[in-house]
Every structure is written in C-alpha cells, then in structure tokens.
Amino acid sequence: MSDGKAVAGPDGALRCPWALSTEDYLAYHDEEWGRPVHGDDALYERLSLEAFQSGLSWITILRRREGFRAAFAGFKITEVATFTDTDRERLLADAGIIRNRLKVDATIANARVLADWAPGELDDFIWSHAPKPGPAPKALGDVPAVTPESTALSKALKKRGLKFVGPTTAYALMQACGLVNDHLKTCVARSTTT
C-alpha cells in the first residue's frame, strides 16, 4: 500500500492510505470520518457500530450499516430501549447485521441506560472528553489506538452503565465523530474536517 503516508487517490489528491482500499472506504473517508457528529441518536449509532466492529474489520460494519439501521429502528434510543426478548431474537436471526449475542444485548442495554439521560446529555458527555488538538499525524504509525482521553471516556461511560465501550472502541468513536482529527497531515480531507 504505502509507507503509511498519504497516497494519491483516483483524482490525484492525497488521502489516508486506508481510504483507497475500497470505494466504500473512500466515500466514508471523504464524506464522514473525522467530521463532527452531534445528536444523541447519531452518537448512539456510532457508539453501537464501533462496539459491533470490535474484533472485526470496519468494512464489515460499513457494508452492513443500512441493515443495522433497519434492525435497530434507526438507532433511535427511545425505540431501542423498548426492545423486548422477541426483538432480541429477531436481531439474532438477522443476517443483515452481526449476530453476536453479547453485542446485541449491549446495544439494547445501552439504549435503556441512555433513555434515562436528559436530551443532549450523551452529546455533551462525549464531547466533554474531546482532547485539545495536537499535531497532525504524518503517517499511520503516528495514529494511536488508545489515548488517555479515550481511556477516560471509556471509564466514564462504563461508570454510567454502558457496555462494550473499551478504550480502543472509545478512541475509534472519537476519530469517527470528529473529536480528534486523525487524517494525515497531507490528506485532502484534513482541512475539511476542522
């Protein structure tokens, strides 16, 4: 692929090398990853998808995203919080998602916890853990998997009763939702995400 530095894409613009492995990644990289995400339901969706990704490649989740949205009522916290055992069994039989019992249960349990939070509380809570911007990474090797901030966010979410929110998952959430900008220094998307 590369030495971990930005690589020219199909249009000649430099991008993070991971973005060029599939068209799905290219669109996700250019249009979504690293851009600020706000709203409780939108953040619940990203948190849930990052949890489902644990142990799998992100492309697996990305290609099933619409299936996840359909299965989990568009990730509307108030709706998922009312899911019953019948819904759980439906989810575990749904080939359009990852049918991992622990992850399905955590997604439902997290919605039940979050349904008791005030509107906007999840958004405020997650964004309160955004670190101060640091230097732009020059290569993929400069991008951490875990940071002190993601560890703190993970601990804080767990303390509030959420599941499947380890430090690596928390950092992936921070990257995906724009709390940090890990586009490489020369990546065309870096300047559009800040």
Side-chain angles (χ1 to χ4, degrees):
M1 200 179 244
S2 78
D3 57 0
K5 294 183 179 176
V7 177
D11 59 359
L14 294 176
R15 288 181 174 80
C16 302
W18 63 265
L20 301 175
S21 61
T22 71
E23 288 183 24
D24 296 319
Y25 271 157
L26 183 62
Y28 178 68
H29 171 273
D30 285 1
E31 299 165 15
E32 189 172 353
W33 191 73
R35 297 181 189 283
V37 174
H38 288 281
D40 292 346
D41 290 340
L43 287 165
Y44 168 66
E45 174 187 359
R46 301 325 190 282
L47 185 64
S48 299
L49 293 177
E50 294 296 347
F52 271 101
Q53 185 271 330
S54 181
L56 303 169
S57 69
W58 180 245
I59 197 68
T60 301
I61 303 305
L62 195 56
R63 290 182 174 159
R64 294 181 181 189
R65 191 173 189 180
E66 291 309 314
F68 276 107
R69 285 176 171 163
F72 285 98
F75 289 99
K76 291 181 182 73
I77 293 168
T78 55
E79 289 187 36
V80 179
T82 66
F83 278 15
T84 63
D85 286 342
T86 301
D87 292 303
R88 180 178 179 269
E89 294 308 314
R90 170 186 56 81
L91 292 166
L92 292 172
D94 189 338
I97 66 168
I98 304 301
R99 296 173 285 182
N100 178 298
R101 184 176 305 276
L102 293 175
K103 294 175 183 181
V104 166
D105 289 347
T107 303
I108 296 169
N110 287 348
R112 290 178 180 155
V113 168
L114 294 171
D116 289 335
W117 290 24
E121 187 173 355
L122 178 61
D123 190 311
D124 291 343
F125 189 81
I126 287 175
W127 277 91
S128 73
H129 289 82
K132 293 178 181 174
K138 295 178 182 174
L140 292 181
D142 299 333
V143 178
V146 174
T147 63
E149 294 86 1
S150 75
T151 300
L153 175 58
S154 170
K155 287 179 180 178
L157 288 168
K158 288 178 183 178
K159 188 174 182 180
R160 297 282 308 263
L162 276 75
K163 301 176 181 187
F164 261 92
V165 290
T168 303
T169 297
Y171 193 69
L173 175 74
M174 294 169 97
Q175 291 174 304
C177 296
L179 279 75
V180 296
N181 184 351
D182 278 343
H183 284 284
L184 300 182
K185 184 174 184 174
T186 57
C187 176
V188 67
R190 181 159 188 87
S191 62
T192 63
T193 57
T194 55

